[in-house]
Amino acid sequence: MILSQKNLNISESLTLAIDAKAKKMLSEGYDVIGFGAGEPDFPTPDYIIQAAKNALDQGLTRYTPSSGILQLRKAICRKLERDNHIVYTPDEIIVSNGAKHSLYNIFQAILNPGDQVLIPKPYWLSYPEMVKMADGIPVFIDTKEENCFKVTRDDIEKAINPNTKAIILNSPSNPNGCVYKKEELEVIAELAVKRGLFIVSDEIYEEMVYDETQHVSIASLNDKVKELTLTVNGMSKAYAMTGWRIGYVAGPLDVINVMSNIQSHSTSNPNSIAQYASIAALETPKEKIQEMVSVFDERRLYMVEKINSIPLLSCKLPKGSFYVMMNISQAIGKRHGNTLINGSISFADALLESKKVTIVPGIAFGADLFVRLSYATSMDKIQKGLDRIQQFMEELV
């Protein structure tokens, strides 16, 4: 039996695999410190849970429109106008089974075989796989750590060719925490309008910004940019609703209609109960979000200071999300016991084997001289885990 050649080439999500491995080791009694998590370690706020209970009590458990209930799409429109200064109608919104599903639907809707999508490195590891699943070709753009991993005009212009269909923008970024300033977004917007490129703007971490950093939605810059932009967001990160699986896209009506048709035949509708809970999340003041971000900020500052105090390791101060990209380039060529450190995978494997600390190898993000650490875990675990990493580095020869 010959399986799908296209999908045989799709790799497993390394972040989910590492998180699963850490949880398995914990269940087996190992004292594992996990820095691989991509979800807040806070409970879903009570008012959201209560809204879900109310939906259950009211029997709101039936099929909904494939693109999501009108009440939620209206709430998303109000949110986008209030927070992001972009005006949409409910018909220009589609609700999906998480922001990851939203992104998948986008690429299925806009790509034809051979179309190219520009992806700045380091990137969230699912972007290139989703592009390939839609018969597109991922084209990676190298960025520099000293420029906070942000793509420049020259970088984009060198990568564009007649087959370029779209560019992915992820701000605040997973995995590196960079946040684009308005003037930097204006450069990308100008090029996209000039070349007629879709902008896939993944803004799932928009609430996680620090040091008075402002998140700016690229679609808010002007109408011409808005017509080319697909703004992706969801409930997972800001509202600690990772398991509820609600994401959404705001964009041009013709693209949204294609996405809705795809979704109607693939997954029908998003979870009805989670949709009603999401309305409550979007319509309630943000005190719980602000409390969570304040805790993340404290952890972020500690992690960065500690990493930069460890010989052979360094990192930049992220301005958003809840990740740090740790530079391990000075450890390459050294040994830990019998293990030669020749890249991010061997570094991560040796660290897990010897110190029971999980991190995500940077090769998963196209950056083999780095590893990613999440500070979406308790300060106690961060302190213990970083102490173990320091011990590990002291044992390299």
Side-chain angles (χ1 to χ4, degrees), residues 62-99:
R62 304 292 185 179
Y63 290 132
T64 76
S66 62
S67 58
I69 57 175
L70 180 60
Q71 302 98 305
L72 176 54
R73 287 182 284 127
K74 284 182 175 180
I76 291 168
C77 288
R78 290 191 290 270
K79 179 263 181 233
L80 289 167
E81 185 171 5
R82 179 183 67 239
D83 296 348
N84 307 95
H85 314 297
I86 325 171
V87 176
Y88 288 99
T89 67
D91 288 342
E92 297 171 306
I93 307 294
I94 180 171
V95 182
S96 302
N97 298 284

Side-chain angles (χ1 to χ4, degrees), residues 145-350:
E145 184 184 18
E146 55 265 33
N147 192 41
C148 298
F149 302 106
K150 296 178 186 179
V151 72
T152 67
R153 179 191 295 272
D154 287 345
D155 296 332
I156 298 173
E157 288 184 330
K158 289 176 183 177
I160 290 177
N161 66 52
N163 294 320
T164 306
K165 188 69 166 288
I167 181 170
I168 296 176
L169 178 67
N170 181 205
S171 177
S173 168
N174 172 12
N176 57 63
C178 78
V179 181
Y180 282 81
K181 298 177 182 178
K182 182 179 180 180
E183 53 268 30
E184 295 167 331
L185 293 175
E186 288 172 339
V187 170
I188 297 172
E190 178 189 344
L191 286 170
V193 170
K194 180 181 177 182
R195 299 298 188 108
L197 305 180
F198 282 112
I199 302 169
V200 180
S201 184
D202 183 350
E203 303 181 15
I204 190 71
Y205 292 96
E206 69 166 345
E207 296 289 353
M208 283 79 182
V209 289
Y210 314 99
D211 302 330
E212 300 183 356
T213 301
Q214 297 294 315
H215 167 72
V216 178
S217 291
I218 194 168
S220 70
L221 296 180
N222 59 63
D223 287 341
K224 289 184 178 179
V225 180
K226 179 187 171 189
E227 291 170 3
L228 293 168
T229 301
L230 293 146
T231 301
V232 181
N233 211 322
M235 312 309 296
S236 293
K237 312 301 182 180
Y239 301 96
M241 293 175 66
T242 51
W244 298 68
R245 309 315 301 138
I246 295 292
Y248 59 85
V249 179
L253 183 59
D254 56 345
V255 181
I256 298 298
N257 284 339
V258 175
M259 293 174 63
S260 182
N261 290 339
I262 293 168
Q263 187 160 294
S264 71
H265 290 291
S266 57
T267 58
S268 294
N269 59 271
N271 180 286
S272 63
I273 301 152
Q275 289 187 66
Y276 288 100
S278 296
I279 296 171
L282 292 170
E283 304 271 73
T284 302
K286 297 183 178 182
E287 282 87 353
K288 290 292 184 182
I289 295 176
Q290 292 162 352
E291 291 172 8
M292 181 171 64
V293 172
S294 178
V295 174
F296 282 145
D297 189 18
E298 180 184 2
R299 298 172 182 175
R300 172 187 72 116
L301 295 173
Y302 177 85
M303 180 175 279
V304 169
E305 182 179 6
K306 178 66 174 180
I307 288 172
N308 285 319
S309 74
I310 300 174
L312 305 181
L313 296 179
S314 65
C315 67
K316 295 291 185 182
L317 181 67
K319 294 295 185 178
S321 71
F322 40 68
Y323 306 106
V324 168
M325 284 293 275
M326 186 168 75
N327 189 319
I328 61 167
S329 59
Q330 294 185 73
I332 302 300
K334 296 187 177 295
R335 288 184 175 274
H336 188 274
N338 295 322
T339 301
L340 173 66
I341 307 299
N342 57 12
S344 59
I345 291 179
S346 57
F347 185 97
D349 286 346

Side-chain angles (χ1 to χ4, degrees), residues 43-56 240-241 244 273 277 280:
T44 303
D46 290 341
Y47 65 90
I48 298 173
I49 293 174
Q50 187 58 52
K53 291 179 179 178
N54 292 341
L56 285 167
M241 293 175 66
W244 298 68
I273 301 152

